[in-house]
Amino acid sequence: MQTELSKQLGVEHAVFGFTPFPAVAAAISRAGGFGVLGAVRYTAPGDLERDLDWIEAHVDGKPYGLDVVMPAKKVEGVTEADVEAMIPAAHREFVRETLAKYGVPELAEGEVSGWRITGWMEQVARRQLDVAFDYPIRLLANALGSPPADIVARAHERGVLVAALAGSARHARKHRDGGIDIVVAQGYEAGGHTGEIASMVLTPEVVEAVDPLPVLAAGGIGSGQQIAAALALGAQGVWLGSVWLTTAEADLRSSALTRKLLAAGSGDTVRSRALTGKPARQLRTEWTDAWDAADGPGTLPMPLQGLLVAEAVSRIQKYEIDPLLGTPVGQIVGRMNDVRGVQAVFDDLTRGFERAVDRVNRIAGRSGT
Ligand SMILES: Cc1cc2nc3c(=O)[nH]c(=O)nc-3n(C[C@H](O)[C@H](O)[C@H](O)COP(=O)(O)O)c2cc1C
C-alpha cells in the first residue's frame, strides 16, 4: 500500500494511525504504518517527554508523528479558572443529579480528574510542541483548524510535514492556504469531532479542492477493502483512529469499556456535544442520551462543556458505571469484534487490500496483483 506520500515519509504502508496511546503509536510504525500520538491529554509537565522517550526507545527507528488540538479561535489570557466561572449553576446541578441517579462514587480525597480540557488551549498545545520539536517527529497534525503560521514555519524549518483535519472542502482549502502539507479529510462516520459529510462524498471533494496536495481519507475505515476504496477515490493514504482502541497494545484502563466496544454495532454511536461542546462521535450511552434529551439543560459551548463534565467522565470511567461508560469511537466499531495486536490488524488490512484490488482487476478484465 505505497503512494508518493508513504514513499516520501519512508513507510511501507500509506496507513496513518491516530492514537492516544504511545504503545499503539510505536506498534503502528513498527508494523510499517505511520503512528501519530495524540497529545491532547498531556497537560502535566514531563508527561509528554516521558512518553516520547518511550516511543523513541520502542519504534525501531521508524518514523512517527504528533497530533495537537489547537482550536482555530484564539482565546487570549483566559485561564481554566476563568472558564470554570462561566459554567451556569443549573448545569452543575444536572451533572450532580445524573451522577447521583446512577450512584457514581466520588473520586478519592485529593485525587484529580485525569481528564482536563487545557490540552485544547493554544498555550498548552504550544508547550507540547516546544517539547515535541526536540524529538525527531516527521509529522505534526492539528485537529481543530489550521495551525498558526509560526507553528507551520517552525515545523517546516525542522523538515516536519504539517497535516490538518478537515470535514469539508471549504475547510480543506483554508488549510491549503495556511501552507499545510497534508489534508486529513475526516467524514461523518469517524470517531471524535466530525462534520456532517460522509467519507464517500467528502474524500473526492477534498482531493479535487486541494489538488495537488496529498489527502488522507479518514472516517469509517477498518478494512483493506475500505483502504482500496479510499485510494480509488484519490486519497494518498488513510488515517485510522477507532480500530486501534481494541488492540492489545491499547491502554483503555477499563475492561468494561473494551467489552462494550467489542459488543457495539455500527449503529451504536452518536454524534453528540455531550463530551466537548462540539459534535463528536462516541458510543451512545445513557450519559449522551441524558445530555441530548429534550428536557435536559442542553450542552454548553466548547470549552465550557468539556470542563463541566471532566470530573464526571473520570468518575464514570474509574468506577466503570456501565450504562454511562463511553468513549469517542466511529461507526467502524461494528467491525471491532475481537482484541488483536496491531501487527495482526495490519496483516488483515494488507490481505483485504490485496483481495479488493484483485476483485477490481478481475472486474476490469485485467490479471490479478
Ligand atoms: C478515542 C478517539 C480520540 C480522538 N482524539 C482526537 C484528537 O485528540 N485529535 C485528532 O486530531 N483527532 C482525534 N480523533 C479522530 C482521529 O484522529 C481520526 O480522525 C478518526 O478516528 C478517524 O475515523 P475512524 O474513527 O472512523 O477511524 C479521535 C478519535 C478517537 C476514536
Side-chain angles (χ1 to χ4, degrees):
M1 295 184 279
Q2 289 243 328
T3 63
E4 271 171 48
L5 182 63
S6 65
K7 286 183 197 148
Q8 186 185 350
L9 284 166
V11 293
E12 196 184 338
H13 304 301
V15 176
F16 293 68
F18 167 91
T19 173
F21 308 117
V24 178
I28 291 168
S29 291
R30 281 200 311 271
F34 190 98
V36 181
L37 179 70
V40 71
R41 73 193 171 103
Y42 290 95
T43 51
D47 282 2
L48 186 57
E49 287 92 328
R50 182 201 59 215
D51 283 0
L52 288 176
D53 282 342
W54 191 93
I55 290 180
E56 274 294 305
H58 292 87
V59 81
D60 293 352
K62 299 282 171 57
Y64 63 94
L66 191 84
D67 175 282
V68 294
V69 181
M70 269 192 181
K73 276 197 207 121
K74 229 178 170 158
V75 196
E76 296 275 13
V78 178
T79 66
E80 195 164 305
D82 298 332
V83 180
E84 192 104 45
M86 293 159 77
I87 296 173
H91 281 77
R92 291 197 186 281
E93 185 53 22
F94 178 74
V95 170
R96 207 192 55 72
E97 277 172 9
T98 310
L99 295 178
K101 183 174 155 197
Y102 288 89
V104 184
E106 301 274 349
L107 293 178
E109 182 84 20
E111 188 178 3
V112 288
S113 155
W115 208 87
R116 307 306 298 167
I117 58 142
T118 44
W120 304 340
M121 290 182 163
E122 182 172 330
Q123 58 269 40
V124 178
R126 280 184 180 274
R127 279 206 299 278
Q128 291 165 342
L129 288 174
D130 288 341
V131 171
F133 281 142
D134 281 339
Y135 289 80
I137 58 167
R138 296 291 309 281
L139 177 90
L140 165 65
N142 191 37
L144 293 176
S146 300
D150 67 301
I151 297 289
V152 176
R154 267 176 83 188
H156 285 166
E157 273 164 27
R158 288 164 175 76
V160 175
L161 293 179
V162 182
L165 274 70
S168 70
R170 187 174 62 82
H171 280 154
R173 279 192 212 95
K174 265 175 92 173
H175 292 332
R176 178 199 57 198
D177 297 346
I180 67 138
D181 309 292
I182 301 166
V183 175
V184 181
Q186 193 194 239
Y188 176 78
E189 308 92 317
H193 293 120
T194 68
E196 291 183 329
I197 307 169
S199 297
M200 191 72 172
V201 173
L202 182 69
T203 307
E205 256 181 33
V206 172
V207 167
E208 277 171 36
V210 300
D211 182 57
L213 224 56
V215 172
L216 300 176
I221 299 175
S223 73
Q225 287 85 345
Q226 289 162 324
I227 295 177
L231 297 183
L233 293 173
Q236 284 240 6
V238 290
W239 174 279
L240 280 56
S242 292
V243 286
W244 318 113
L245 291 175
T246 49
T247 55
E249 291 87 345
D251 181 15
L252 280 182
R253 298 207 181 109
S254 163
S255 49
L257 186 53
T258 301
R259 268 199 310 279
K260 278 187 104 168
L261 288 171
L262 297 176
S266 51
D268 291 332
T269 70
V270 63
R271 194 169 159 270
S272 166
R273 295 178 187 267
L275 196 57
T276 68
K278 278 185 188 288
R281 187 170 298 287
Q282 52 203 288
L283 269 188
R284 183 176 169 189
T285 65
E286 292 184 27
W287 177 252
T288 61
D289 284 353
W291 281 105
D292 296 335
D295 58 354
T299 53
L300 297 171
M302 189 182 224
L304 299 186
Q305 180 72 14
L307 194 53
L308 171 65
V309 302
E311 201 217 14
V313 169
S314 293
R315 285 165 60 185
I316 292 165
Q317 285 176 350
K318 176 173 176 186
Y319 298 107
E320 301 191 316
I321 310 298
D322 211 65
L324 305 181
L325 191 59
T327 174
V329 71
Q331 294 179 339
I332 198 68
V333 71
R335 281 185 73 102
M336 294 157 49
N337 299 325
D338 52 6
V339 173
R340 284 179 298 169
V342 166
Q343 181 63 57
V345 173
F346 264 88
D347 293 344
D348 191 44
L349 293 177
T350 45
R351 265 195 309 271
F353 178 77
E354 280 160 19
R355 271 202 298 275
V357 172
D358 280 347
R359 180 177 143 77
V360 172
N361 274 331
R362 275 198 308 279
I363 292 168
R366 300 194 189 93
S367 57
T369 47

